[in-house]
């Protein structure tokens, strides 16, 4: 397993990655280190080829400040987001910028061995086509659904097929690719992916990840909340409205089972006229494509589609309220591939639920946001987490 | 506001407080500091009179190790837990051991000014009767319900009466007592109070606090999860079973409104025969006394009381499941004054819900525990949090 060290060097790299360029003085302020210590840290990072001089910045009348930035080509990392309906592979450079990416079909109902073989082939192709020096790739971050045993690099679920349960996913990928592999919850990875790109107005927020299912993540002060074994924040498995629909987790009435994308498609499939009108496919491997058809129909004014999406949006709104009230947050980010078209439908519904039902009414009102990297956030976040394990002294 | 510094000295004191006695080598291991640095830290703490030599310990054939312990009389702190039905005041010494405590009636429907005056009188009496040197009292920790603005030391709720909303609670108490005051959520304080006494098998757990209402807290690696502004973890305000009972928070169907102690008493009061049989008082200020009567009747076999407590226990069980699944925990502690008699009734119900409905089935099974400081945990935790602000260099 890749460790993510909390060293001063690592912290400095994290801060530079999210800020872009900063002076030594800025870095000393943000890390709380003395100017002298920061000068030493920066020297080591420059000697290691990780940081370079990015010119001078004149502000006001003072001395121009020498600015620093990460060296983009120092290291690269691969990020893979994998689930039943989609596979996304990204390569990021050392600054976290995306070098290349590809979106592919998901695992479908295939077993883990076939799926790993497919991922390995895609990753090899992408690295070759992007002309990235193999020895500069630090590792691969794999974002997928939970529950997981992050340390052992395996899933603790029989979804989509029983042989995924405790299959040695990370080690199989690692040995076939010859790269260290870091397993990550997809919602947590997406939170890292939206946070480290630096467009959010805060580094403390909750995230609801909509793919087939409904995942959740919480970031406080820039760090993901991980709980005991990185299986937080299963917001999709809260039974919030007293419904009785059975969930894949074994419980009933979970947000995911009542109003997640797959559940919404399932409800649509019981309406024969809607199925015909929208040409819904109705296969488990095409859930996101069917959900996309529903979202488009809803935006085009189809009454049945509008009702289904509104019901789903209300459930996601309840989940957002629970996230805000339980984790004490004022920002909820919506992310995930299901939101390509549906995002603009969910945004006002979630906002409405939050304004009506959050608890601390005289503190800052909660807000809901959507970022534009819906398809790649999770893969990017997994790759960014790998970059945090950069060796400083070799 | 009292700051809780994360310095190496502070960390060393925290570790000694929870462990009792340790050698310098133990302390170096647990803090990750070098032996040389730890020797310096310990010297400073001894010079400041905070730590003293606690004799030698021989283990096996090696050199006997010189053990260290906190000096009990170095500092004291006052802890107050305050709500509508109970006031508990404790004084702890520097090791966190309870020197004295008193349990009193709560605020009832009185306003904040009267309540502050009463607390001030009780604290003065207790300090005087315990003969504690006034200049060694570091401050007062005040544990009460949320939502709070911890930094400004005020409540963000109109419960129990509208004039509590944004009343300057901490500063009023502070100026009348001449002590710094730290405001704390009661459930979080209780979690600190059960964790730092060192009897829990883990330093990562969730806590459900049952007083009038239902509060929640999460501790990860010994530190409370605080979220954005210390108003996590409002587990009592999750609507988990689709019920429609209005809650004080303005929403409907919350765990607290459906199955908390006050809600359970309210349901009992609609049963005239039960009211007569148990001599229920039915006043808002006597909720815990009535709840205690219900719990005793349930244990004595009263069918109506059994049904009411079972319904409440099932709701608390759902809350425990949500806590475990959302925050990724394997230990739930039940605490709070409502559990004096009811604790043994809730324990199997909560355990049952956890075994049936937790998510990560192949990781460690969740467990539920009750500690024995039900009445004083919150006040003690608030006092312990004050001790973390010990000045080292004066």
């Amino acid at each position: 397993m890749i460790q993510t060290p909390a060293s001063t060097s690592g912290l400095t790299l994290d801060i530079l990655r999210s800020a872009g360029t900063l002076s030594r003085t800025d870095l000393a302020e943000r890390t709380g280190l003395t100017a002298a210590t920061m000068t030493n840290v920066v020297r080591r990072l420059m000697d290691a080829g990780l940081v370079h001089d990015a010119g001078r910045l004149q502000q006001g009348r003072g001395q121009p400040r020498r600015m620093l930035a990460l060296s983009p080509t120092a290291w690269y990392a691969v990020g893979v987001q994998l689930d039943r309906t989609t596979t996304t592979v990204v390569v990021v450079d050392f600054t976290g910028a995306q070098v290349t990416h590809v979106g592919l079909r998901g695992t479908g109902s295939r077993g883990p061995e076939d799926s790993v073989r497919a991922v390995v082939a895609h990753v090899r192709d992408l690295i070759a086509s992007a002309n990235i020096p193999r020895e500069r790739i630090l590792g691969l971050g794999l974002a997928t659904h939970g529950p997981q045993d992050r340390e052992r690099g395996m899933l603790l679920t029989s979804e989509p097929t029983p042989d995924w349960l405790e299959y040695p996913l990370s080690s199989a990928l690692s040995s076939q690719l010859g790269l260290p592999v870091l397993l990550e919850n997809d919602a947590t990875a997406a939170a890292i992916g939206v946070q480290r790109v630096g467009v959010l107005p805060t580094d403390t927020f909750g995230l609801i990840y909509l793919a087939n299912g409904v995942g959740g993540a919480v970031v406080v002060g820039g760090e993901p909340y991980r709980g005991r074994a990185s299986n937080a924040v299963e917001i999709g498995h809260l039974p919030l409205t007293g419904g009785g629909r059975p969930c894949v987790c074994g419980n009933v009435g979970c947000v995911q089972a009542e109003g997640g994308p797959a559940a919404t498609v399932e409800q649509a499939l019981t309406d024969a006229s809607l199925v015909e009108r929208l040409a819904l496919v109705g296969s488990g491997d095409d859930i996101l494509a069917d959900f996309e058809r529903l979202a488009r129909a809803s935006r085009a004014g189809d009454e049945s589609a509008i009702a289904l999406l509104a019901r789903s949006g209300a459930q996601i709104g309840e989940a957002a309220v629970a996230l805000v009230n339980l984790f004490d947050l004022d920002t909820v980010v919506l992310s995930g591939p299901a939101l390509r078209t549906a995002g603009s439908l969910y945004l006002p519904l979630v906002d409405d639920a939050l304004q009506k039902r959050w608890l601390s009414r005289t503190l800052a009102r909660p807000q809901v946001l959507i970022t534009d990297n819906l398809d790649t956030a999770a893969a990017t976040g997994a790759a960014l987490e790998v970059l945090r394990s950069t060796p400083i002294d070799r």
Side-chain angles (χ1 to χ4, degrees), chain A:
Chain A
M1 182 191 156
I2 299 176
Q3 296 289 335
T4 53
S7 66
T8 51
S9 309
L11 183 61
T12 305
L13 293 174
D14 281 355
I15 292 172
L16 268 175
R17 187 169 292 119
S18 98
T21 60
L22 290 173
S23 69
R24 284 168 182 76
T25 314
D26 299 332
L27 282 168
E29 265 170 29
R30 297 208 192 180
T31 54
L33 297 172
T34 62
T37 306
M38 185 46 72
T39 300
N40 283 330
V41 169
V42 167
R43 186 177 307 127
R44 275 179 66 213
L45 295 175
M46 290 183 113
D47 288 348
L50 303 176
V51 165
H52 67 268
D53 202 312
R56 283 157 189 272
L57 183 71
Q58 175 87 49
Q59 275 182 322
R61 295 178 183 199
Q63 281 275 88
R65 294 175 304 153
R66 279 164 60 196
M67 305 300 283
L68 300 163
L70 298 188
S71 303
T73 59
W75 289 103
Y76 297 85
V78 181
V80 176
Q81 172 272 319
L82 182 72
D83 68 16
R84 188 166 175 179
T85 50
T86 52
T87 305
T88 303
V89 185
V90 304
V91 178
V92 301
D93 68 21
F94 194 56
T95 69
Q98 190 178 291
V99 177
T100 180
H101 85 282
V102 61
L104 302 147
R105 290 182 65 83
T107 64
S109 311
R110 278 177 300 174
E113 289 188 24
D114 284 356
S115 301
V116 164
R117 248 194 307 274
V119 167
V120 167
H122 295 317
V123 169
R124 284 199 180 125
D125 287 352
L126 200 65
I127 293 173
S129 68
N131 238 334
I132 293 159
R134 184 57 194 255
E135 69 281 6
R136 302 316 294 170
I137 300 177
L138 199 55
L140 180 147
L142 174 65
T144 187
H145 55 82
Q148 310 177 343
D149 188 328
R150 190 168 178 255
E151 208 151 322
R152 291 196 299 151
M154 42 183 64
L155 297 187
L156 301 176
T157 167
S158 303
E159 292 293 314
T161 64
D163 43 349
W164 283 86
L165 177 70
E166 298 197 294
Y167 175 82
L169 200 51
S170 291
S171 63
L173 256 177
S174 180
S175 66
Q176 290 179 46
L177 276 170
L179 287 173
V181 170
L182 173 68
L183 184 64
E184 187 68 87
N185 175 284
D186 47 13
T188 300
I192 296 167
V194 302
Q195 199 250 318
R196 303 239 175 101
V197 294
V199 295
L200 288 188
T202 173
D203 64 357
T204 297
F205 62 97
L207 180 137
I208 299 179
Y209 187 76
L210 292 161
N212 278 2
V214 179
V218 168
V219 171
V220 177
E223 287 298 325
Y225 172 86
R226 294 201 176 276
R228 190 178 55 91
S230 293
N231 279 310
V233 175
E234 287 288 3
I235 196 80
H237 295 289
L238 271 186
L240 282 177
T241 53
R245 295 169 64 94
C247 183
V248 290
C249 75
N251 295 336
V252 298
C254 298
V255 167
Q256 172 169 315
E258 298 288 328
T264 303
V265 168
E266 204 179 291
Q267 288 159 54
L269 293 174
T270 64
D271 178 343
S273 142
L274 188 66
V275 170
E276 202 188 322
R277 209 154 64 238
L278 307 186
L280 300 180
V281 177
S283 140
D285 302 348
D286 287 298
I287 284 167
L288 278 186
D290 278 350
F291 186 74
E292 190 63 20
R293 290 181 187 103
L294 276 173
R296 287 205 200 108
S298 176
R299 277 173 60 162
D302 185 297
E303 293 293 339
S304 308
I306 288 172
L308 283 169
L309 268 291
R311 186 174 186 283
S312 170
Q315 292 268 347
I316 302 306
E318 296 303 309
V321 171
L323 203 55
V324 160
N325 289 347
L326 268 188
F327 285 88
D328 187 26
L329 304 168
D330 66 1
T331 303
V332 174
V333 177
L334 302 180
S335 187
L339 292 176
R340 270 169 235 156
T341 299
S344 61
L345 304 168
Y346 281 80
L347 206 57
L349 295 169
V350 172
D351 187 55
D352 188 52
L354 282 174
Q355 300 317 327
K356 282 190 188 138
R357 291 164 69 91
W358 67 296
L359 285 176
S360 308
R361 294 181 197 278
T362 63
L363 288 175
R365 298 185 79 77
Q367 58 181 339
V368 53
L369 306 167
I370 295 188
T371 58
D372 58 6
N373 59 346
L374 295 171
D375 285 329
T376 54
T380 303
L384 286 169
E385 199 64 10
V386 169
L387 288 181
R388 302 188 82 191
S389 64
T390 305
I392 313 294
D393 299 310
R394 77 178 192 197

